[in-house]
Amino acid sequence: MEINPLHPLFAAEVTGLDLDSPPDRETFSEIHEAFEKYAVLVFRNQPITDEQQIAFSERFGDLETTKVGTPGAGSKLITLTNFSPEGKIVPPTDKQVLSGKANREWHADSSFKEVAAYASMLSAREIPSSGGNTEYLSMRSVYADLPADLKQKADKAVAIHDFSYGRSKIDPHLVTDAERQAVPAVRQAMVINHGPHGKSLYLGAHAARVEGYAEEEGRELIDTLMDFANQPKYIYSHAWQPHDLILWHNRAVLHRATPFDSANQRRLMVRTTIAGKAPKVAASDRI
Ligand code: OGA
Ligand code: MN
């Protein structure tokens, strides 16, 4: 197994590994260590089945169960695709396509859950001939480079993450009542401490408000921080090759989808999501 950096700040490629059979303890611990360090790991040439993907993901922790309203609901898998089970490309007004569009905003998976996701694993089953990159933003590097006044504000802040907020920006009808009830707004610390790997800024599309701030001032702080974060030097853009498998750290990077010719080309990605262990705002100061 070889691990080679893909970007000056984060992200690495893992080659010489065959995930057909589960990695032994020692190899897995190397992978885990590299994952904590690089925050994004690209495993090349891994034509795995759903079952193999679930098994490998489970080595990192318990998996989330897909929430109501998302393809794969009730299972450990999320299917991201622009075609129907019969293989027909769905129209641009379809919920599947709109949800894909919502993914084009920087986000952390499940930041709208009280215990937000730790990591996500995405497997490229079918990819378009061009476009459809997935991009990653190093929120540890962003935090480290924040101007002192912003850092101070972020350090103390708690953001309110709300699934309906992010989705409503795309289309007010995209979120159903059932989804709204399943995922009420939650509090998330704006800064996460990774110990030896530094701190990261934790925001993204679901961050709607800042606790203790008037609606507009909170929005302004979120926008200022996200504008600072959204600089090319912090971004790794992944051009998918068939059978790439990517594992990313949802608390250290944000990610987003990029457009492709979705009216004519097929894209099929399968995701597993590794759950976090605890809320990032202490239970004692919960409102
Ligand atoms: C995801 C996601 C982006 C993409 O799977 O969580 O945001 O490019 N994917 O498909
Ligand atoms: Mn996502």
Side-chain angles (χ1 to χ4, degrees):
M1 181 176 72
E2 256 192 66
I3 298 170
N4 295 306
L6 288 165
H7 183 280
L9 298 171
F10 71 126
E13 174 186 67
V14 182
T15 52
L17 183 73
D18 182 355
L19 290 171
D20 263 1
S21 47
D24 58 39
R25 252 167 182 280
E26 199 181 319
T27 309
F28 180 74
S29 105
E30 264 177 67
I31 294 171
H32 205 186
E33 216 170 279
F35 176 60
E36 285 296 333
K37 175 175 171 193
Y38 289 105
V40 176
L41 289 184
V42 177
F43 301 91
R44 299 285 193 190
N45 197 23
Q46 304 292 344
I48 56 173
T49 62
D50 292 352
E51 290 69 31
Q52 286 168 331
Q53 184 172 342
I54 289 173
F56 183 45
S57 306
E58 279 177 338
R59 298 285 292 272
F60 296 87
D62 292 341
L63 302 190
E64 287 191 358
T65 301
T66 305
K67 69 163 196 58
V68 60
T70 299
S75 80
K76 303 292 180 197
L77 300 167
I78 295 182
T79 312
L80 291 90
T81 178
N82 63 325
F83 54 88
S84 70
E86 295 76 39
K88 212 170 152 250
I89 289 192
V90 297
T93 46
D94 192 275
K95 187 171 174 181
Q96 249 168 280
V97 176
L98 292 173
S99 300
K101 244 181 159 170
N103 274 347
R104 290 189 205 157
E105 279 205 58
W106 289 120
H107 66 282
D109 291 332
S110 299
S111 76
F112 49 82
K113 291 185 184 171
E114 191 175 18
V115 178
Y118 163 55
S120 295
M121 191 180 282
L122 192 61
S123 158
R125 305 292 173 87
E126 265 188 75
I127 52 172
S129 57
S130 66
N133 279 22
T134 304
E135 301 192 325
Y136 298 91
L137 185 54
S138 174
M139 298 304 273
R140 285 176 179 157
S141 308
V142 165
Y143 178 82
D145 291 354
L146 277 181
D149 60 323
L150 278 179
K151 202 179 256 187
Q152 233 174 27
K153 282 186 186 155
D155 275 333
K156 284 185 283 195
V158 170
I160 307 297
H161 288 238
D162 185 346
F163 181 76
S164 324
Y165 170 80
R167 284 299 191 269
S168 311
K169 280 190 287 184
I170 307 295
D171 182 323
H173 306 297
L174 195 50
V175 183
T176 62
D177 284 344
E179 283 174 288
R180 231 180 275 279
Q181 278 161 25
V183 281
V186 297
R187 307 171 72 223
Q188 303 286 5
M190 217 184 256
V191 173
I192 299 173
N193 193 339
H194 302 266
H197 297 295
K199 292 182 178 179
S200 64
L201 182 67
Y202 189 71
L203 282 172
H206 307 298
R209 298 176 290 283
V210 183
E211 203 169 85
Y213 282 62
E215 177 106 25
E216 265 172 37
E217 268 107 345
R219 194 65 254 156
E220 217 174 276
L221 177 60
I222 292 172
D223 290 346
T224 305
L225 287 163
M226 283 306 299
D227 284 348
F228 180 88
N230 195 8
Q231 298 187 53
K233 63 178 170 185
Y234 301 125
I235 298 172
Y236 166 66
S237 183
H238 186 74
W240 291 91
Q241 292 174 15
H243 310 307
D244 278 350
L245 178 75
I246 302 193
L247 179 69
W248 68 84
H249 196 316
N250 276 304
R251 295 164 176 210
V253 301
L254 294 180
H255 64 283
R256 68 177 175 194
T258 63
F260 67 101
D261 182 8
S262 61
N264 297 298
Q265 295 217 8
R266 288 157 61 106
R267 186 175 190 262
L268 171 62
M269 316 291 280
V270 174
R271 194 182 100 196
T272 39
T273 313
I274 298 124
K277 286 204 168 57
K280 288 186 308 310
V281 173
S284 57
D285 65 27
R286 216 171 297 159
I287 42 172

